[in-house]
């Protein structure tokens, strides 16, 4: 998300640390003696964090290149089982205390999201939850094609889909560290649109924008809200989901 904006390498670490604090809080009351299923786990930053707290982690990734990095990251953790495979055909074994979907659903069309969530509900332990951390869009759901086909769904659309799959939203909140960085990205995009490439000076403007976000946090996020400005267009939300009481 943050490539090509001139942000320092530490931007990714900052965001992950800040998001980890939110995830810890959201999972505070979850018994650590249980298994986490991390679907679309990428290189395994979250799988590693879960392995430090929970008994075991099954981490599934579909990209061969990312899977190699995942295997390396997981090597020191005997309680992580990395799996190379498509989440749509992956058959979970047994029951999970937490299923983590971090930025996965935007790659799937609604039919697949629904099929996946319905299957996952049947693999939750009693009291188990699905923690979803997903890109969202203000206004109407947007489908983007081209080199990077994704669906940015509105929060309302996610709520509708979750309900359709027999899931109740126990808690939801905007992912403020993500949105902060997204503000930086969208401002730089505007800059790139206005200034011809030879004069963009991303090596200077990128770090300046990044540090302005960091030092202006949390007031920058509040400022846009207070002024009623719908910016940035893309957001990100955490949803804590549990099966509807039958
Ligand atoms: C935005 S990245 C998020 C990675 C990680 N969950 C995180 O939060 O840092 C989404 C990941 O989902 C993986 N992915 C997308 N569709 C998938 C599928 N059908 N099966 C397995 N992995 C998939 C991608 O390869 C990518 O690594």
């Amino acid at each position: 998300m943050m490539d090509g904006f001139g942000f320092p390498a530490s931007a990714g670490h900052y965001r992950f640390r800040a998001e980890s604090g939110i995830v810890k809080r959201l999972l505070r009351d979850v018994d650590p003696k249980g298994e986490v299923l991390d679907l679309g786990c990428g290189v395994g930053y979250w799988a590693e964090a879960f392995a430090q707290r929970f008994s075991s982690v099954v981490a599934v990734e579909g990209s061969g290149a990312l899977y190699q990095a995942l295997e390396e990251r997981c090597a020191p953790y005997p309680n992580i089982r990395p799996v190379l495979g498509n989440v749509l055909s992956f058959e979970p074994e047994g029951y999970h205390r937490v299923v983590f979907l971090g930025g996965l659903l935007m790659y799937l069309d609604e039919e697949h999201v629904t099929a996946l969530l319905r299957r996952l509900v049947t693999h939750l332990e009693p009291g188990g939850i699905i923690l979803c951390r997903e890109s969202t869009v203000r206004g109407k759901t947007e489908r983007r094609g081209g080199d990077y086909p994704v669906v940015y769904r509105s929060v309302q659309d996610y709520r509708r889909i979750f309900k359709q799959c027999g899931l109740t939203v126990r808690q939801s909140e905007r992912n403020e560290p993500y949105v902060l960085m997204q503000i930086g990205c969208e401002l730089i995009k505007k800059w790139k649109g206005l200034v011809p490439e030879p004069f963009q000076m991303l090596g200077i403007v990128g770090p300046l924008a990044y540090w302005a976000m960091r030092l202006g946090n949390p007031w920058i996020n509040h400022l846009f809200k207070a002024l009623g400005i719908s910016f940035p267009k893309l957001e990100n939300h955490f949803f804590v989901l549990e099966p509807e009481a039958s």
Side-chain angles (χ1 to χ4, degrees):
M1 159 212 173
M2 289 189 283
D3 293 341
F5 296 99
F7 292 170
S10 59
H13 300 298
Y14 160 75
R15 200 189 83 189
F16 183 71
R17 264 199 323 275
E19 289 187 0
S20 297
I22 300 174
V23 168
K24 260 192 201 138
R25 172 166 52 74
L26 294 174
L27 298 181
R28 192 174 39 206
D29 298 328
V30 180
D31 184 350
K33 284 196 220 88
E35 186 158 89
V36 178
L37 177 60
D38 181 355
L39 294 182
C41 61
V43 297
Y45 287 115
W46 289 104
E48 183 179 26
F50 294 134
Q52 290 164 1
R53 158 128 201 259
F54 289 89
S55 303
S56 57
V57 180
V58 177
V60 184
E61 172 52 43
S63 143
L66 298 185
Y67 180 78
Q68 272 195 352
L70 170 71
E71 270 193 318
E72 277 168 35
R73 184 175 304 280
C74 296
Y77 297 91
N79 61 338
I80 306 182
R81 181 164 74 88
V83 177
L84 173 61
N86 188 333
V87 298
L88 299 177
S89 49
F90 175 75
E91 257 316 312
E93 283 168 21
Y95 298 94
H96 301 281
R97 185 136 302 171
V98 177
V99 175
F100 181 65
L101 307 174
L104 171 73
L105 301 183
M106 66 181 187
Y107 296 104
L108 309 180
D109 60 31
E110 188 165 326
E111 186 192 334
H112 287 133
V113 172
T114 307
L116 178 66
L117 290 175
R118 288 198 170 128
R119 189 149 39 92
L120 292 175
V121 170
T122 66
H123 285 275
L124 284 178
E125 286 186 353
I129 57 156
I130 297 176
L131 174 59
C132 185
R133 172 190 149 277
E134 194 51 75
S135 290
T136 50
V137 68
R138 292 175 196 266
K140 285 199 176 136
T141 290
E142 278 184 24
R143 186 175 289 275
R144 299 202 182 161
D147 292 347
Y148 190 60
V150 286
V151 189
Y152 294 118
R153 298 186 176 89
S154 64
V155 171
Q156 292 90 315
D157 251 352
Y158 272 119
R159 284 182 173 273
R160 175 185 57 75
I161 293 171
F162 297 148
K163 192 168 168 28
Q164 240 169 255
C165 299
L167 288 160
T168 300
V169 179
R170 187 201 285 177
Q171 223 174 325
S172 81
E173 68 179 63
R174 200 166 84 137
N175 182 350
E176 297 296 347
Y178 187 105
V179 174
L180 186 72
M181 291 299 119
Q182 185 63 30
I183 290 174
C185 294
E186 291 195 18
L187 287 175
I188 296 278
K189 261 190 217 159
K190 286 191 188 299
W191 170 257
K192 282 174 156 181
L194 288 171
V195 179
E197 203 175 335
F199 305 107
Q200 286 172 2
M201 295 182 299
L202 282 190
I204 297 169
V205 174
L208 274 179
Y210 170 72
W211 283 108
M213 294 300 115
R214 286 287 303 272
L215 297 173
N217 183 34
W219 306 111
I220 289 191
N221 272 342
H222 296 331
L223 184 72
F224 285 112
K225 270 190 218 165
L227 294 175
I229 299 172
S230 301
F231 186 82
K233 186 159 177 58
L234 291 184
E235 299 182 300
N236 193 282
H237 281 80
F238 288 100
F239 301 97
V240 179
L241 310 170
E242 61 190 2
E244 264 168 16
S246 48

